[in-house]
Amino acid sequence: MSEGFVLSDEMEMLRDNVRKFIKKEILPREQLIDLDAPFFPEDIQKEVQQLGRELGIWYVDAPEKYGGADLSIFAQTIIAEEASQHRMGAYNAAGGAFGFELPNVIFKGTPDQIERFAVPTIQKGGSGFVGITEPSGGSDPARAIETKAVRDGNKWILNGSKIFISAVEFADWGVVYARTSEGRNGITAFLVEIDAPGFSYKPIPVIRSWYPKELVFDNCEIPLENQLGEEGQGFKLAEHWLTKGRIPYAAGCIGIAVAALKMAVEYTKQRVTFKTPLADKQAIQWMIADSEVEIKAARWLTWEAAWKADRGEPFKNEASIAKLYATEVANRVVDRCVQIFGGMGVSKEFPFERWFRELRIKRIGEGPSEVHRMVIARNLLGERR
Ligand SMILES: Cc1cc2nc3c(=O)[nH]c(=O)nc-3n(C[C@H](O)[C@H](O)[C@H](O)COP(=O)(O)OP(=O)(O)OC[C@H]3O[C@@H](n4cnc5c(N)ncnc54)[C@H](O)[C@@H]3O)c2cc1C
């Protein structure tokens, strides 16, 4: 937690540990893999995960009794900003060394579900997927979801499809939201195993090198005991986790912006045009100054959201503000850094073009910018607008 305008000693130490870890363990290993590889090969992955476990930063959001580190949102936010400062960026923060994102709503499941699904995944360093978005739209999923779940004796039968679902290829299971009745309260969550009968998936090529998947449910059979939470309560169950997740998501984008700006500042001191370094040109100085101001503002907004969430105060509005602002700032900062580097900015020799592509998605995933603006405006104008 922060104390006024400074970080507590504990948070400073956490930040320094992660910073050193990225520099010592992740940056050199990233030199060994393809420039656009989304992940480390399995052997390196295992190696860095062992180091992550030893550091005590392992599944930061999962309760300790299930093998996680159970850190505060503030601590997760501090980690996320540091852990994204390398080529693989926020999508594979710290190269997976601290574990991957889990659909944390699993911790609202029964003890048996947590033991069967979450615990083995945390032990092995795996991930799970979250299936919400459908071809009918992702901005307003409570209305758009058409995938149907119908009860048949001792199982549920799912029919329909999902698009743009991340992390399916590494997962043994995922949480899928399907319609069990009409209306906004007609959505139920299900734990779907990767080998469930009638379940298949295929990649959807997108701007980043790690492709999300289309999921197809063709009379897909789900045992009754894999229903997560009560019938019709799918989104109520997930809302808290989804909102919370936006805060470290914002911090990951800030981390990329910080790394990009650092590189750009150094470059401007060395690169000479018209007989003087770029650093001497006012047009360049303004790009650097604007980036610094926006990064700082984004960080404070993100910290405020984390602080409120940890204090148990309402934080939905602050999480939307942080997500909206940080993702848009990171896009602007990396775009400016591309410009400062000129042709080298779009060369694969530097990470900017990769960050540029990844960050573009960040304005769409976890609620697009427009939806967060809608949340913020509604907070001021009232729901009925
Ligand atoms: C790489 C990638 C990974 C993803 N991973 C996942 C995942 O793991 N799980 C998952 O469930 N989903 C995932 N998504 C989906 C993502 O959450 C959706 O793309 C997002 O929610 C937007 O939904 P949509 O694409 O259907 O756009 P739409 O809902 O069709 O919206 C289109 C555009 O209209 C805007 N818009 C919508 N409503 C309004 C409004 N009222 N006012 C103004 N503008 C509006 C939106 O902001 C958007 O810009 C992923 C997407 C991508 C690209």
Side-chain angles (χ1 to χ4, degrees), residues 91 128-141 144 162-168 175 177 204 206-208 210-213 249 358 360-372 374 378:
Y91 274 110
F129 61 90
V130 177
I132 297 175
T133 308
E134 301 201 358
S136 51
S139 299
D140 185 15
K162 300 276 171 189
I163 49 169
F164 299 127
I165 308 305
S166 302
V168 184
V175 176
Y177 295 81
I204 305 175
V206 293
I207 193 169
R208 73 180 188 201
W210 178 32
Y211 292 167
K213 305 291 181 294
Y249 188 92
E358 297 217 354
R360 188 62 191 82
I361 297 173
K362 299 286 194 184
R363 284 163 51 198
I364 298 169
E366 295 285 326
S369 288
E370 293 73 21
V371 171
H372 290 294
M374 204 166 79
R378 274 185 183 165

Side-chain angles (χ1 to χ4, degrees), residues 102 124 196 267 343 346:
L102 276 188
K124 93 170 190 195
Y267 187 70
V346 290

Side-chain angles (χ1 to χ4, degrees), residues 171-193:
D172 293 325
W173 56 278
V175 176
V176 169
Y177 295 81
R179 185 163 294 290
T180 44
S181 64
E182 292 309 311
R184 285 180 65 82
N185 292 327
I187 307 293
T188 305
F190 297 95
L191 290 156
V192 173
E193 286 161 273

